[in-house]
Amino acid sequence: MTDVKIAASSVLAEPEESLIMRVFITGASGWIGSAAVVELLAAGHQLTALARSDASAAALAEMGVGVLRGDLDDLYSIRVGAEDADAVIHLANKHDWSNPAASNAAERAAVQTIGETLAGTDRRFLLAAGVAALTQGRPATEDDPSPFSGPESPRGGSENLAFDFVGRGVHTVSLRFAPTVHGTGDHGFIATIAAIARQRGVSGYPGDGTNRWAAVHRSDAARLVALGLDKAAAGTRLHAVAEVGIPTRDIAAAIGRAFDLPIASIAPDDVPSHFGWIGTFFGMDLTATSDATRSLLGWTPRGPTLIEDLDAGAYTVTSVAS
Ligand SMILES: NC(=O)c1ccc[n+]([C@@H]2O[C@H](COP(=O)([O-])OP(=O)(O)OC[C@H]3O[C@@H](n4cnc5c(N)ncnc54)[C@H](OP(=O)(O)O)[C@@H]3O)[C@@H](O)[C@H]2O)c1
């Protein structure tokens, strides 16, 4: 059973001297991972990354990262990577939005494998998580445990599963990223919403557009990964959140400005058909604070806000298929 008493603010020890570590990282070729790699290398760490394709392997090698060929579906490769490292950072995710159950099952299996491999070693294990649906009617804080446990849960209940290993001698730290980790080149949620706006010829927002999304710039999220590896105590939940919540109407308006499109309210009943799979998320209030993370790690977001990024053209050079 998950120890819900674990909280960021209550367990952080005094900062230790920075350690140089051999780090095994999954998802290093991804949006957040490739920026985190730069920060981790700059901090002096030696990185080995899981790579599932020749292209990812070549890109990682070019960055000065050791490559372990493997896949989320090849748990042996994940175990080998974790065994050989002082710390593991798990950022890979299938992100198969047409089959979330498969993504969640792979996520849970990877976390289980890493946890079992690190059990009894006190080694650090940082894993990606999100802030969606952690709380109702107020922004989530680092003290809010995830309500999701078990294989059928969002992300396969992986955050709580990883925290279960704290009691088995694993130094687990959760990296809860805002629902948009934005910037030039993003192929995530905001790029998808912008692509839908272009396809529809209108930049829509759900209902009255007062539901909000937290946000963080990619550079700040990447810095937090490296800081969390260095300083966060076992059981810590870190919030990679620079902005507590931006109304979806403001996001739609900025997308409209960026692509010279009108904006429009989309009736709640029409949100699924208008936005497709991402309508579920765009219709939610996904807010979170990061006060504890800032004070615990001395982390201060420095990047542009989401609206500044949109207005500066960060998404007009990016496109994804919805
Ligand atoms: N970006 C956000 O706004 C955001 C918000 C909240 C949470 N998160 C979470 O943060 C983590 C990183 O997100 P991201 O935006 O960086 O994701 P991303 O850009 O989609 O990258 C996903 C990474 O996972 C790897 N991957 C995918 N399927 C794999 C498989 N079957 N085997 C091995 N590796 C596989 C990809 O490798 P290839 O390069 O070879 O495809 C890539 O390195 C994820 O867990 C995500 O859910 C992200």
Side-chain angles (χ1 to χ4, degrees), residues 142 215 224 238-239 241-244 289-301:
E142 294 86 340
L224 185 67
L238 296 174
H239 280 196
V241 170
E243 298 180 85
V244 173
T289 63
S290 56
D291 295 351
T293 299
R294 292 173 195 235
S295 79
L296 290 169
L297 298 185
W299 175 72
T300 305

Side-chain angles (χ1 to χ4, degrees), residues 46-142:
Q46 186 185 325
L47 305 186
T48 300
L50 187 75
R52 62 174 172 152
S53 70
D54 290 346
S56 293
L60 290 160
E62 179 77 16
M63 294 176 82
V65 174
V67 171
L68 175 66
R69 291 301 296 263
D71 195 283
L72 284 173
D73 292 326
D74 170 12
L75 296 175
Y76 177 75
S77 65
I78 292 174
R79 184 156 62 80
V80 167
E83 270 172 354
D84 284 349
D86 302 317
V88 177
I89 301 176
H90 171 53
L91 301 174
N93 193 291
K94 288 186 172 183
H95 288 157
D96 181 354
W97 303 109
S98 66
N99 189 357
S103 298
N104 294 343
E107 167 68 4
R108 185 174 179 88
V111 167
Q112 181 80 37
T113 299
I114 295 166
E116 297 284 357
T117 306
L118 300 185
T121 67
D122 288 329
R123 292 187 198 152
R124 297 166 201 215
F125 173 25
L126 279 65
L127 82 158
V131 302
L134 297 177
T135 54
Q136 298 296 325
R138 65 170 175 80
T141 76
E142 294 86 340

